[in-house]
Amino acid sequence: MRLSQPRIRPLAPEDWTPEQAEVLAPLGGGGVIPAGPVLNIFRTMAHAPKALKAFLTWGNYVLSKKNDLPPREREIVILRTGFLCRSGYEWTQHAEIGRRCGLADDEIQRLKAGASAGWSPADAALIQATDELHHDQFISTPTWKALLAHFSEKQAMDLVFTAGQYTQVSMLLNTFGVQLDAGQSLDPDLKAF
């Protein structure tokens, strides 16, 4: 985590305007996110409810079955992006989602080490492509060919969409100082640096 306190405080339900409540009300249950209180990311973004509403439209595409990457592979991209962006909040949320999507704890830990950490060729291609997008905002031709050996062109496009979405998410989480939700603990490798 880059900040130990929020720069922008998450809004408490009693402080929501009608417009904020309309956007936030459905976020406490269902889908990839388990039922419960509205997460800090959304309560923070609610300071800009129109932006949050637009953000949710794209985010829902990335996390839905419309994204052709299978859920496990999608979570590999999200977790690697969150780790590269040093986003403790993102990593914490998606480590749990990744487990529900089929990633083992040792795989989640190996994502920190990158593509050469004993992955299958398909997983290594996903991780390499994510690294290249993070460092150069471009997937090299050899890595693109490696992706297409295992994934469709649409899946490769969805990898780019997913990495881009979670780079943006990491930027806002880090900059706004969004803190972990109740009951969560930060991975020691993502403590303040």
Side-chain angles (χ1 to χ4, degrees):
M1 301 284 288
R2 298 192 184 217
L3 298 171
S4 60
Q5 311 179 47
R7 285 181 172 160
I8 300 172
R9 295 223 172 266
L11 292 168
E14 60 271 14
D15 297 329
W16 297 351
T17 66
E19 183 181 22
Q20 291 164 334
E22 180 184 340
V23 177
L24 290 169
L27 296 176
V32 176
I33 300 167
V38 177
L39 298 175
N40 285 340
I41 181 177
F42 303 128
R43 293 188 305 117
T44 300
M45 290 185 70
H47 286 277
K50 287 177 179 57
L52 175 56
K53 188 173 184 178
F55 170 88
L56 290 170
T57 299
W58 181 244
N60 285 338
Y61 168 82
V62 170
L63 291 176
S64 76
K65 291 181 180 179
K66 294 175 187 172
N67 181 337
D68 283 351
L69 280 177
R72 179 188 171 278
E73 285 71 15
R74 178 197 70 218
E75 291 303 316
I76 286 172
V77 174
I78 293 171
L79 282 163
R80 184 64 181 164
T81 300
F83 185 76
L84 292 172
C85 292
R86 308 295 297 163
S87 180
Y89 187 96
E90 190 55 44
W91 180 269
T92 302
Q93 292 294 346
H94 278 271
E96 180 56 37
I97 295 168
R99 286 182 194 96
R100 290 197 307 266
C101 292
L103 284 172
D105 286 337
D106 73 299
E107 291 177 310
I108 292 170
Q109 290 305 309
R110 277 191 292 131
L111 277 168
K112 297 173 188 177
S116 62
W119 296 97
S120 70
D123 289 346
L126 289 172
I127 297 165
Q128 182 64 36
T130 302
D131 286 6
E132 290 179 12
L133 287 168
H134 177 77
H135 295 295
D136 193 32
Q137 298 74 53
F138 177 75
I139 297 175
S140 68
T141 299
T143 301
W144 187 256
K145 287 180 181 178
L147 280 173
L148 294 183
H150 305 283
F151 300 99
S152 71
E153 186 173 80
K154 169 66 166 55
Q155 288 173 317
M157 291 175 68
D158 281 333
L159 179 153
V160 176
F161 298 152
T162 301
Q165 165 69 1
Y166 280 91
T167 297
Q168 176 189 21
V169 170
S170 295
M171 288 176 173
L172 70 89
L173 290 167
N174 289 343
T175 301
F176 299 165
V178 177
Q179 301 299 297
L180 297 181
D181 291 288
Q184 294 180 323
S185 58
L186 184 62
D187 185 294
D189 292 330
L190 288 166
K191 293 205 184 267
F193 56 98

